[in-house]
Amino acid sequence: MKQHLFSLLNKTKNKLLGKYNFYGLINKITNKKAHQYNNTTSFNRYPEIFMESVKLVNGETKNLKILSFGCSTGEECETILGYFPNSIITGVDINSLNINKAKSSYNHLKQLEFKTSKEFENELNKKFDLIFCMSVLCRWEDTKDVTNCNDIYPFKTFEHILVELDKRLNSNGLFIIYNSNYCFTDTCLNNNYEVISSSIKDTGFVHKYKSNGERIRSDKHIIFFKKK
């Protein structure tokens, strides 16, 4: 009986760790305000998007202030620095374990700084020229294949964080949003932004939903938004 119970608990643990990874599991348990629980990341995950971002700033990659929102353990910030040399890049994550690991891994790169969400909220005067939200404004895989995701990840949660981030974005600044459950064009911010077309026809594998939570079967293929 004990052996069977131990085996069952072990399988449950492995299933959870496989779905969310360790830091993501901590998010799910302790950070109810987190958008994406899964903290999976890697270096240079989205090269086409980063290259397109460089084009959209006309190759002026120096002295920009850039935010990686939902930076996980920092690999995205390191990647962005390669595309935007001599810029100041701030990585923000709700999980303090992620931030501690990022600081430990990248303390030799003086152009990178890492903040917890709570620390970031207290720096109201900090403004950015680009804000990357890559695979963070969603609840994957919890929303996978569901017909309505409002009970899992409400539209108001998505819209609220974008409104807060909008306050941090300079005029003519760029929002880059990829792998989100909802569309930026459905938010109250839409009229304040210009949609930037690009050759990238993929907005990620995360399923999209209307503002009422209903599943969308067709994709708008929009990633880049420029603040008017």
Side-chain angles (χ1 to χ4, degrees):
M1 181 67 178
K2 287 184 179 179
Q3 187 175 7
H4 175 73
L5 180 60
F6 177 80
S7 176
L8 181 61
L9 289 172
N10 196 48
K11 286 181 181 179
T12 302
K13 178 198 74 173
N14 290 337
K15 184 177 180 180
L16 286 170
L17 291 179
K19 184 174 182 179
Y20 295 111
N21 75 35
F22 175 70
Y23 289 169
L25 183 59
I26 295 298
N27 266 351
K28 189 172 178 65
I29 295 171
T30 64
N31 292 323
K32 298 302 183 182
K33 292 183 179 180
H35 295 269
Q36 172 64 298
Y37 292 145
N38 194 323
N39 283 243
T40 300
T41 190
S42 61
F43 181 78
N44 204 22
R45 281 199 296 174
Y46 311 110
E48 291 184 350
I49 295 175
F50 295 130
M51 286 188 288
E52 189 73 14
S53 301
V54 171
K55 292 178 184 177
L56 291 175
V57 297
N58 299 317
E60 297 293 333
T61 60
K62 296 182 180 180
N63 303 318
L64 293 172
K65 292 181 173 58
I66 301 173
L67 172 64
S68 169
F69 184 76
C71 69
S72 189
T73 48
E75 287 82 352
E76 182 172 289
C77 294
E78 181 191 13
T79 300
I80 293 171
L81 183 60
Y83 288 92
F84 295 88
N86 301 317
S87 294
I88 301 299
I89 299 158
T90 301
V92 171
D93 200 275
I94 196 170
N95 193 323
S96 60
L97 292 176
N98 283 342
I99 294 301
N100 289 340
K101 184 175 181 181
K103 287 179 177 179
S104 175
S105 299
Y106 298 108
N107 61 0
H108 62 290
L109 296 175
K110 302 307 180 186
Q111 292 153 260
L112 304 186
E113 60 177 7
F114 298 95
K115 307 282 184 181
T116 64
S117 296
K118 186 173 290 187
E119 291 171 331
F120 181 67
E121 288 170 3
N122 293 329
E123 297 181 341
L124 298 176
N125 294 325
K126 199 157 197 173
K127 300 280 189 174
F128 300 92
D129 302 300
L130 293 91
I131 297 179
F132 287 92
C133 298
M134 314 292 277
S135 298
V136 64
L137 301 182
C138 62
R139 192 65 60 76
W140 187 261
E141 295 179 349
D142 293 349
T143 57
K144 182 179 180 181
D145 294 327
V146 301
T147 56
N148 192 301
C149 75
N150 232 350
D151 291 337
I152 301 170
Y153 184 59
F155 177 78
K156 64 181 181 181
T157 301
F158 171 79
E159 185 176 54
H160 174 76
I161 191 59
L162 288 176
V163 168
E164 292 304 307
L165 291 174
D166 169 71
K167 298 173 184 176
R168 307 296 192 96
L169 187 63
N170 289 324
S171 296
N172 296 315
L174 287 176
F175 248 135
I176 300 97
I177 302 172
Y178 184 77
N179 253 349
S180 63
N181 276 142
Y182 295 103
C183 300
F184 183 90
T185 50
D186 289 335
T187 70
C188 61
L189 297 172
N190 184 50
N191 291 335
N192 299 329
Y193 282 79
E194 174 188 357
V195 170
I196 305 297
S197 60
S198 74
S199 59
I200 301 172
K201 301 303 180 185
D202 166 35
T203 58
F205 55 81
V206 171
H207 296 161
K208 293 287 190 296
Y209 296 83
K210 299 178 183 178
S211 59
N212 64 3
E214 293 180 5
R215 177 83 183 275
I216 300 174
R217 297 299 174 180
S218 60
D219 202 333
K220 295 182 179 180
H221 304 300
I222 303 171
I223 299 172
F224 303 98
F225 305 88
K226 185 175 183 179
K227 191 171 184 177
K228 295 177 182 177

